[in-house]
């Protein structure tokens, strides 16, 4: 008998939850199992999950194969029908100790093969917190799950449920533990991070949480927040950006498009000018602020002129780190019923966006030469600046330490110090 093997597909939150499942399965005593934590963000993601499951079955013919994650939640029937799969576990069930105890005790395969409840009925975040997921230098803390919005291209709310928040006191206590273990940077993560607090008493905002962490954990050197919806940013978060040097000057923005008509058809809550105004204001408050952004190329009905508005947004918002997504139709979403853009056109537009992003990265890197940065070492030769830019060193540094160094050169994607 051997310890369970895990495969993670998809986002950072999935990777976080895989770490929690490792702890839960180990505590339950589960043996000789392969667990696949799936992603449902596109139809291609589901196809890759099925491909991975078949490969893992060939490699592990005697193990029990358990499928979980967002695709298992949204389309359990697909995986139940696969001969390679022994059990399908929903996103709520995968974070519960009882689920893993049941799987561990069931050596003869009598446990219900499909355990997927209605995710929309879940009102609490999973109680299982993990300490130290990430590198030895940077830890990720899940503070929120689910999403109350219904963007027309997105299946994720049906995989994650409605928005639920981890109470501030629980978050602060976990971060104190992480700092006590030597972590120099904590990243707050969630599915819709800026909706944090809406379901808690007094409805606090993300900015309140950030200010509370920085006040109550004075020994935390660096706090970072992951992807946010700029239209939902509150006054306290803007104040933190302006006044708190321990909050890192790097924001990843869920923009998706730069054309007002496409944004409306996506059912986003911001317009083009809102995005530009936010980026200008945050940079006024914090001149060293850098932005990443998600942008979809070729959303249904997108004309050449509409696409040009998205392309121009790269300059208008001064975006540096682009995550470009060629639009992929997802069954069950309103966008799947809209008039599609030609696949070759989508691919060409995605390439244009990526080229624009590459040019912005090179520009950003060139502006850092001669500057001094505080670099958090992820391994002995590579770390990241406050703006999350990779920096390489010729001589070994101490992993996990924050090193002050001058930037002397660049490659196409990294700085050298």
């Amino acid at each position: 008998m051997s310890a369970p093997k895990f495969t993670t597909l998809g986002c950072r939150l999935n990777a976080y939850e895989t770490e929690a499942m490792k702890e839960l399965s180990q505590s339950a005593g589960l043996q000789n199992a392969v667990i696949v934590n799936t992603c449902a963000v596109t139809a291609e993601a589901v196809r890759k999950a099925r491909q991975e499951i078949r490969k893992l079955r060939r490699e592990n013919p005697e193990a029990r194969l358990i499928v979980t994650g967002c695709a298992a939640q949204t389309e359990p029937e697909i995986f139940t029908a696969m001969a390679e799969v022994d059990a399908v576990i929903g996103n709520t069930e995968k974070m519960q100790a009882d689920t893993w105890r049941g799987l561990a005790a069931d050596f003869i395969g009598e446990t219900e093969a499909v355990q997927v409840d209605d995710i929309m009925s879940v009102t609490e975040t999973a109680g299982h917190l993990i300490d130290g997921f990430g590198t030895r230098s940077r830890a990720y803390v899940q503070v929120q799950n689910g999403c109350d919005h219904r963007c027309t291209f997105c299946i994720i709310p049906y995989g994650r449920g409605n928005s639920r928040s981890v109470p501030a006191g629980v978050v602060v206590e976990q971060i104190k533990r992480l700092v006590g273990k030597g972590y120099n940077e904590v990243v707050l993560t969630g599915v819709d991070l800026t909706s944090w607090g809406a379901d808690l008493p007094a409805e606090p905002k993300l900015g309140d949480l950030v200010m509370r962490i920085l006040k109550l954990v004075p020994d935390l050197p660096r706090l970072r927040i992951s992807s946010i919806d700029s239209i939902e940013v509150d006054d306290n978060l803007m104040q933190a950006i302006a006044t708190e040097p321990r909050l890192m000057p790097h924001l990843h923005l869920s923009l998706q498009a730069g054309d007002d008509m496409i944004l409306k058809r996506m059912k986003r809550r911001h317009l083009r000018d809102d995005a530009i105004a936010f980026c200008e204001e945050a940079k006024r408050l914090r001149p060293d602020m850098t932005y990443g952004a998600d942008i979809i190329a070729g959303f249904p009905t997108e004309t050449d002129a509409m696409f040009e508005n998205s392309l121009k947004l790269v300059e208008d918002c001064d975006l540096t780190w682009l995550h470009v997504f060629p639009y992929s139709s997802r069954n069950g979403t309103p966008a799947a019923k809209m008039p599609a853009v030609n696949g070759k056109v989508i691919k060409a537009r995605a390439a244009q966006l990526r080229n624009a992003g590459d040019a912005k990265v090179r520009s950003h890197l060139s502006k850092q030469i001669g500057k001094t940065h505080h670099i958090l070492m992820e391994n002995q030769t590579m770390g990241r600046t406050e703006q999350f830019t990779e920096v390489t060193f010729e001589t070994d540094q101490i992993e996990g330490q924050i090193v002050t160094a001058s930037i002397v050169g660049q490659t196409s994607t990294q700085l050298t110090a």
Side-chain angles (χ1 to χ4, degrees):
M1 302 290 276
S2 59
K5 299 176 183 177
F6 284 82
T7 294
T8 305
L9 306 170
C11 67
R12 176 68 66 176
L13 192 55
N14 250 15
Y16 178 101
E17 289 170 347
T18 290
E19 295 303 308
M21 286 191 286
K22 285 179 182 177
E23 292 184 4
L24 289 165
S25 63
Q26 185 176 354
S27 297
L30 182 65
Q31 298 285 321
N32 202 29
V34 174
I35 298 95
V36 184
N37 197 7
T38 62
C39 172
V41 70
T42 62
E44 176 66 9
V46 178
R47 188 191 70 78
K48 284 183 178 178
R50 297 179 70 187
Q51 187 178 41
E52 184 69 14
I53 287 163
R54 293 188 186 103
K55 179 173 82 75
L56 288 168
R57 171 52 77 204
R58 289 193 299 272
E59 294 171 353
N60 303 273
E62 302 302 319
R64 292 175 67 195
L65 203 150
I66 300 163
V67 179
T68 187
C70 287
Q73 181 69 48
T74 58
E75 301 173 78
E77 66 284 351
I78 285 179
F79 301 101
T80 306
M82 293 182 70
E84 294 87 353
V85 174
D86 295 305
V88 180
I89 308 298
N91 262 340
T92 301
E93 291 77 11
K94 77 181 184 183
M95 300 297 282
Q96 295 172 342
D98 283 350
T99 301
W100 297 98
R101 281 195 287 265
L103 288 165
D106 179 34
F107 291 112
I108 55 174
E110 291 181 352
T111 294
E112 191 175 351
V114 182
Q115 299 179 55
V116 182
D117 282 345
D118 177 14
I119 196 85
M120 294 302 174
S121 66
V122 179
T123 57
E124 295 179 355
T125 46
H128 191 85
L129 297 172
I130 62 166
D131 285 351
F133 161 62
T135 65
R136 286 186 224 166
S137 52
R138 180 182 300 108
Y140 293 80
V141 175
Q142 180 186 351
V143 303
Q144 183 275 339
N145 203 344
C147 185
D148 291 337
H149 307 301
R150 297 294 180 265
C151 297
T152 59
F153 55 84
C154 187
I155 199 77
I156 296 306
Y158 304 100
R160 290 282 177 183
N162 291 318
S163 181
R164 293 98 66 202
S165 308
V166 178
V170 176
V171 175
V172 168
E173 286 307 309
Q174 190 188 11
I175 292 174
K176 284 180 178 177
R177 289 199 304 273
L178 291 165
V179 172
K181 290 186 173 190
Y183 286 90
N184 281 322
E185 183 175 297
V186 165
V187 186
L188 304 182
T189 66
V191 173
D192 182 27
L193 198 57
T194 27
S195 70
W196 179 89
D199 58 322
L200 296 176
E203 299 184 7
K205 302 286 188 184
L206 180 63
D208 302 323
L209 177 64
V210 167
M211 296 292 263
R212 188 166 175 179
I213 291 167
L214 292 168
K215 179 182 178 182
L216 296 179
V217 196
D219 295 336
L220 172 66
R222 291 161 64 136
L223 180 66
R224 206 178 279 282
I225 51 181
S226 59
S227 183
I228 62 169
D229 202 337
S230 58
I231 200 69
E232 292 184 323
V233 169
D234 60 284
D235 291 343
N236 263 352
L237 186 52
M238 295 306 283
Q239 183 184 344
I241 288 169
T243 63
E244 292 287 356
R246 291 186 294 146
L247 179 64
M248 293 296 94
H250 167 248
L251 296 172
H252 190 85
L253 308 176
S254 178
L255 297 180
Q256 310 304 346
D259 180 83
D260 284 350
M261 181 56 72
I262 292 297
L263 288 165
K264 287 177 181 177
R265 288 172 179 164
M266 287 178 166
K267 212 172 176 183
R268 302 293 293 164
R269 292 163 304 289
H270 71 275
L271 297 174
R272 174 192 181 80
D273 286 349
D274 296 322
I276 295 169
F278 170 81
C279 291
E280 289 176 346
E281 177 63 6
K283 189 152 278 196
R284 184 186 70 79
L285 296 172
R286 190 77 174 268
D288 58 345
M289 180 66 74
T290 60
Y291 303 112
D294 297 330
I295 299 184
I296 295 172
F299 185 81
T301 76
E302 184 183 71
T303 64
D304 288 344
M306 291 170 176
F307 170 70
E308 284 299 319
N309 283 332
S310 285
L311 192 60
K312 284 190 288 187
L313 197 68
V314 177
E315 288 297 336
D316 293 342
C317 283
D318 196 16
L319 307 176
T320 300
W321 316 108
L322 290 193
H323 287 184
V324 177
F325 298 90
Y327 174 76
S328 172
S329 180
R330 192 70 179 83
N331 287 340
T333 61
K337 299 176 183 176
M338 298 179 188
V341 175
N342 179 276
K344 289 182 179 178
V345 173
I346 293 175
K347 191 174 181 180
R349 289 176 182 173
Q352 277 186 270
L353 279 168
R354 290 190 181 110
N355 287 339
D358 291 345
K360 293 292 285 187
V361 169
R362 290 192 296 271
S363 173
H364 168 73
L365 295 176
S366 67
K367 291 174 185 174
Q368 308 312 307
I369 294 173
K371 290 185 178 180
T372 298
H373 278 288
H374 304 296
I375 300 153
L376 179 68
M377 299 306 300
E378 294 190 0
N379 55 50
Q380 290 183 325
T381 58
M382 193 279 284
R384 290 184 190 265
T385 68
E386 303 90 332
Q387 292 89 359
F388 213 59
T389 311
E390 289 189 2
V391 185
T392 58
F393 290 74
E394 287 186 0
T395 56
D396 286 356
Q397 308 295 319
I398 300 173
E399 184 177 340
Q401 295 301 299
I402 296 173
V403 175
T404 301
S406 297
I407 304 302
V408 295
Q410 69 178 96
T411 66
S412 60
T413 58
Q414 293 178 317
L415 296 170
T416 52

